[in-house]
C-alpha cells in the first residue's frame, strides 16, 4: 500500500436544508472519525458559512461544490474563489460530471476554475470520468486522459500537491451501479500513468485518486484496498452519518497497511 493519506469527500449535491446540514455535521463531529483519513464535506452554497463555523476544531474540512473563475465583477449568480476563502472554505470540486453533463461546463471552464482555485490558495478535487457509451466503445482511458490534460493544463507541479483527482464513471453516479474493483483499479492505474506523463513519476505517485459512483459501506473497503484507489468521493451515502462514517473507516482500514 502507498504512503498516500486516504481522502474521503462527501458531496452533498443539492440536498439538505439548514437543519439537516447542521445535524449531519454535528453527527460527524461527534462520530470519532479516524484522523488517518482526510475528510471533506461539501454542503450547498447557502450553508457553507454556517458549516465553516460548525466545523471549526473538528478536523473535518470544508469544500464547495463549484466556484467561478473570475475574481469579481458582473457575473450574476456566481461565487468567486476569494469569497469561498473568506468564509473558511478549503476545497473546491471542479469538473463534476453533473456540472459537465447537466449544466454544460466545458473542459475550458473546468480548467479555468481549477487554476483560479489553486491560484487563490484553495485545494481542488478535479473530477473526471467516462459516460456509458464511451466505456462501451473502450474509450474510458482516453476520456480520462483528455479530461486530465485539459483540466490540469497550466497547473504547476508545485500546485499539483493541492489537487486530488476523483474518478467518477458517469454511469455509476447515483445509479447503484459501481465499477467492478478490477475496472476501477485499471482506470485509476491508467490515470496515474497519465499524471506521470504530464508531470513525473514521483508527482504521480504522490497524487491521491478517489473513486466515486455508488460507493457505499458495502463496497468501500474492497475498492479502497486497491493500490491506486486512495479514498472516495461520495454522494448519496455521504448524507447519513453512519454510512459516511463506515466509508471513512473503510479508508482508514487500508491507510497504514
Ligand atoms: P453517488 O455516491 O450518489 O453515486 O454520487 C457520487 C458522486 O457524484 C460524488 O461526487
Amino acid at each position: 500500500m502507498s504512503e498516500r493519506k486516504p481522502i474521503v469527500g462527501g458531496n452533498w449535491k443539492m440536498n439538505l436544508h439548514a437543519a439537516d446540514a447542521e445535524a449531519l455535521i454535528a453527527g460527524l463531529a461527534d462520530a470519532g472519525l479516524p484522523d488517518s483519513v482526510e475528510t471533506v464535506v461539501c454542503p450547498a452554497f447557502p450553508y457553507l458559512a454556517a458549516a465553516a463555523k460548525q466545523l471549526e476544531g473538528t478536523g473535518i474540512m470544508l469544500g464547495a461544490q463549484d466556484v467561478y473563475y473570475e475574481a469579481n465583477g458582473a457575473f450574476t449568480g456566481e461565487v468567486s474563489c476569494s469569497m469561498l476563502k473568506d468564509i473558511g472554505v478549503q476545497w473546491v470540486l471542479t469538473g463534476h460530471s453533473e456540472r459537465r453533463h447537466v449544466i454544460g461546463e466545458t473542459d475550458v471552464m473546468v480548467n479555468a476554475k481549477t487554476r483560479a482555485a489553486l491560484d487563490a490558495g484553495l485545494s481542488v478535487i478535479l473530477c473526471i470520468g467516462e459516460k456509458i457509451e464511451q466505456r462501451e466503445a473502450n474509450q474510458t482511458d482516453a476520456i480520462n486522459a483528455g479530461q486530465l490534460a485539459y483540466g490540469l493544463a497550466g497547473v504547476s507541479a508545485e500546485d499539483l500537491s493541492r489537487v486530488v483527482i476523483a474518478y467518477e464513471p458517469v454511469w455509476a453516479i447515483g445509479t447503484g451501479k459501481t465499477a467492478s474493483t478490477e475496472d476501477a483499479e485499471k482506470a485509476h492505474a491508467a490515470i496515474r500513468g497519465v499524471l506521470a506523463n504530464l508531470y513525473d513519476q514521483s508527482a504521480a505517485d504522490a497524487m491521491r485518486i478517489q473513486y466515486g459512483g455508488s460507493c457505499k459501506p458495502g463496497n468501500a473497503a474492497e475498492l479502497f484496498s486497491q493500490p491506486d484507489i486512495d479514498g472516495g468521493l461520495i454522494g448519496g451515502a455521504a448524507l447519513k452519518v453512519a454510512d459516511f462514517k463506515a466509508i471513512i473507516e473503510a479508508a482508514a482500514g487500508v491507510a497504514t497497511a
Side-chain angles (χ1 to χ4, degrees), residues 9-11 13 93 96-98 127 166 168 172-177 212-216 233-238:
N11 175 8
K13 308 192 181 185
L93 307 185
H96 192 279
S97 79
E98 286 142 21
C127 307
E168 301 201 297
I173 296 177
T175 59
K177 293 182 194 151
S214 300
C215 185
K216 39 191 178 269
L233 187 57
I234 318 301

Side-chain angles (χ1 to χ4, degrees), residues 28-29 32 37 52 77 80 83 103 123 133 144 183 195 212 222 246:
L28 293 172
V37 177
S80 71
M83 291 173 181
I103 311 294
S123 297
E133 59 269 29
N144 285 338
D183 283 349
L195 293 168
E222 191 181 329

